[in-house]
Amino acid sequence: MTANFKNKFWVGVKEYAIMSLGLLLYALGWTIFLLPNNLPGGGVSGISAIIQYATQGAIPMGWSYFVINLVLVVIGISILGRGFGWKTIYAIIYTSLLLNLLPSQIPATFIRAFSTANGPLLCTVLGGVLSGVGIGASMSQGGSSGGTDIVALCINKYKNISPGKLILMMDVVIISSSLLCPSFRSDGTQVDMITKLANAAYGLILITVNSYTIDLYLSGSKQSVQVFIFSRKYEQIADALAYDMKRGVTLFHSMGWYSKKESSVLMVVARKTDLSLLLRYIKSIDPDAFLSVSTVMGVFGQGFEEYKGKKITSK
């Protein structure tokens, strides 16, 4: 077994572990905070929740979530090609199982204390944050739970409409449709129209909180920093960062204008999560090193983000 194969194996294990944890948080958000309050949501999860409310739990959310996503994936493959990969299939199956199993594993006393006793507004926010963090964690590892984004991409292939706008419009339609469907609580009582109107309003808040949390998570996990290092021991620092931390290092020749002495400056671009370790490396070699750290808006290339824009082709 080669070192490269071992490295790819453990990277894959890490990605699926983070995805699994993220999807668990997503399912817990629905199970603990949203479903007990009969709250609607966007996407396939929202449709599945509405079906569960309308059938008094006869069709659990997990089953309809799996079937609808399976149909969408088949449609997506036929229109967009085989671009979904195993991670999407894994996410759909894993999330469906969680949505089916978790409700029976969480005690009703826990649900009452943490969810229904606190009111629907607080549950909307907490459920939106928890599920948003879960989706963000999954997406940061290249995962996708399918859903209405597949529909948006299929439409976008033939119509020049933003996928983001399409997803938002579909979410609003799904939440609005909850007003037309009967809704029953877990005790069998029917939800009246005034409560359904309030729940629909909470659903709009939910998709806003959810979207903001996903963006916040992804921007935080992908944020990068640019570090300029001024030190007489620049060679030792460069070797440590390049060979021990496996980070790219660029050297610039410089001259102090006041002293008129020539020197060298190191520049390193790294993830923000790696900054603390990077600084410890530098300070262990030269405690007197002068450092300039700044946040960069975007880093594209090997080891960072892939630029998604279209290439300019000469005519």
Side-chain angles (χ1 to χ4, degrees), residues 18-306:
I18 294 174
M19 274 181 58
S20 300
L21 177 60
L23 294 171
L24 174 61
L25 293 176
Y26 175 76
L28 285 172
W30 273 97
T31 304
I32 297 174
F33 297 107
L34 304 178
L35 291 176
N37 289 281
N38 282 68
L39 293 170
V44 172
S45 301
I47 298 173
S48 303
I50 293 171
I51 292 173
Q52 177 170 315
Y53 303 148
T55 60
Q56 301 184 53
I59 303 177
M61 181 180 177
W63 286 113
S64 54
Y65 179 90
F66 175 77
V67 172
I68 296 170
N69 267 305
L70 184 64
V71 172
L72 290 176
V73 167
V74 172
I75 294 172
I77 290 175
S78 64
I79 295 177
L80 302 173
R82 301 176 182 272
F84 296 103
W86 290 107
K87 286 183 179 178
T88 298
I89 297 172
Y90 168 78
I92 291 171
I93 296 173
Y94 180 67
T95 307
S96 301
L97 289 172
L98 289 175
L99 291 171
N100 275 338
L101 295 174
L102 285 178
S104 62
Q105 301 300 315
I106 301 176
T109 52
F110 182 90
I111 298 292
R112 280 196 297 271
F114 282 86
S115 178
T116 51
N118 295 316
L121 180 57
L122 182 59
C123 290
T124 297
V125 175
L126 293 176
V129 170
L130 196 60
S131 61
V133 169
I135 290 292
S138 177
M139 290 176 67
S140 69
Q141 304 304 311
S144 168
S145 56
T148 50
D149 56 337
I150 298 176
V151 179
L153 290 173
C154 290
I155 295 174
N156 180 253
K157 183 176 180 179
Y158 301 103
K159 299 287 185 180
N160 188 23
I161 305 175
S162 166
K165 290 182 179 179
L166 286 168
I167 292 171
L168 179 61
M169 288 188 290
M170 284 187 283
D171 286 346
V172 172
V173 169
I174 291 167
I175 291 171
S176 301
S177 69
S178 66
L179 299 173
L180 306 175
C181 301
S183 182
F184 296 88
R185 299 183 181 91
S186 56
D187 59 3
T189 58
Q190 187 169 358
V191 178
D192 59 85
M193 181 54 71
I194 294 176
T195 304
K196 285 167 69 175
L197 281 168
N199 287 347
Y202 292 135
L204 297 176
I205 296 173
L206 172 65
I207 60 175
T208 303
V209 173
N210 194 268
S211 176
Y212 178 76
T213 304
I214 292 171
D215 289 343
L216 195 64
Y217 183 95
L218 291 177
S219 63
S221 65
K222 293 182 178 180
Q223 197 170 25
S224 300
V225 292
Q226 182 174 268
V227 184
F228 285 99
I229 306 161
F230 302 82
S231 171
R232 294 178 181 177
K233 300 179 180 179
Y234 63 87
E235 292 183 348
Q236 293 172 253
I237 294 174
D239 285 341
L241 299 182
Y243 301 121
D244 294 342
M245 278 197 71
K246 308 296 183 184
R247 293 293 177 267
V249 182
T250 302
L251 183 143
F252 298 100
H253 294 292
S254 64
M255 184 180 73
W257 190 251
Y258 181 79
S259 65
K260 299 297 189 291
K261 291 183 178 179
E262 292 189 354
S263 184
S264 295
V265 180
L266 302 176
M267 184 195 74
V268 181
V269 177
R271 295 287 190 195
K272 191 173 183 179
T273 51
D274 295 332
L275 179 61
S276 178
L277 179 60
L278 187 144
L279 296 180
R280 288 203 299 269
Y281 261 98
I282 297 169
K283 288 299 183 181
S284 66
I285 297 171
D286 184 4
D288 298 321
F290 181 82
L291 306 173
S292 171
V293 181
S294 59
T295 301
V296 292
M297 292 296 293
V299 182
F300 303 96
Q302 186 175 0
F304 292 90
E305 306 310 310
E306 179 184 353

